[in-house]
Amino acid sequence: GENVEQHPSTLSVQEGDSAVIKCTYSDSASNYFPWYKQELGKRPQLIIDIRSNVGEKKDQRIAVTLNKTAKHFSLHITETQPEDSAVYFCAAGTYYGQNFVFGPGTRLSVLP
Amino acid sequence: EPEVTQTPSHQVTQMGQEVILRCVPISNHLYFYWYRQILGQKVEFLVSFYNNEISEKSEIFDDQFSVERPDGSNFTLKIRSTKLEDSAMYFCASSTQHPTSGNTDTQYFGPGTRLTVL
């Protein structure tokens, strides 16, 4: 089955700097890769996703890149703000809304 | 904006008791899911449900677990005989998809039910 690894487990950046979180997956059949942000005690919320026919996707300060050959994908947050502080989870799965496997999470702290 | 809702927000039960966690998915969604998250750990898939039957389930989803869509709006997770290790946050999620376009599979999570087994 699918296995998703995520690095780093914790990340501290100064406000205004960029943050990069990387994930690898094992199942070449996976073709949908969402990223979720989870604030303390709250539900995971989708922030961006990418499908296997796309190499890069950007939404304002957030971007995701995908390398299907190497089976890795990354989340990039630019101009970080204190409210970006949260745990970020990557996930891998298939188009048809089935079993997502989540990475272990990255705790991002943005220091003012 | 429509949201997935879950009740109760916190459920405390004794080991061996049955619990039912309730979810109301977004109304036009077709796929429904349960995930759990043990405190401080990652989100783990339990089961997906489509067209009134289980589509896929994980190893965690053993015979102690069952899901049901008793009416047109609710989606429930039942744990027959709770164990201490069932203590976790349980998230319901739903998504809609269009098979012809394969375009929409974003899963929207509910706020979760914190289950505490004593």
Side-chain angles (χ1 to χ4, degrees), chain B residues 36 65 79 81-90 115 117:
Chain B
R36 79 171 186 192
F65 291 88
I79 308 175
S81 178
T82 50
K83 303 187 282 287
L84 295 176
E85 53 265 37
D86 292 328
S87 295
M89 181 74 90
Y90 287 80
L115 176 65
V117 182

Side-chain angles (χ1 to χ4, degrees), chain A residues 3-43:
Chain A
N3 181 50
V4 178
E5 297 184 352
Q6 187 172 346
H7 300 280
S9 56
T10 59
L11 178 61
S12 294
V13 299
Q14 289 296 132
E15 183 177 359
D17 287 350
S18 295
V20 181
I21 303 170
K22 299 181 180 179
C23 286
T24 61
Y25 63 100
S26 61
D27 189 349
S28 57
S30 290
N31 54 17
Y32 177 65
F33 308 93
W35 285 89
Y36 287 86
K37 175 183 179 182
Q38 187 178 32
E39 296 175 8
L40 189 64
K42 296 192 176 179
R43 76 187 83 186

Side-chain angles (χ1 to χ4, degrees), chain A residues 80-95:
Chain A
T80 53
Q81 301 164 4
E83 51 265 37
D84 294 330
S85 296
V87 178
Y88 290 80
F89 291 98
C90 62
T94 58
Y95 255 0

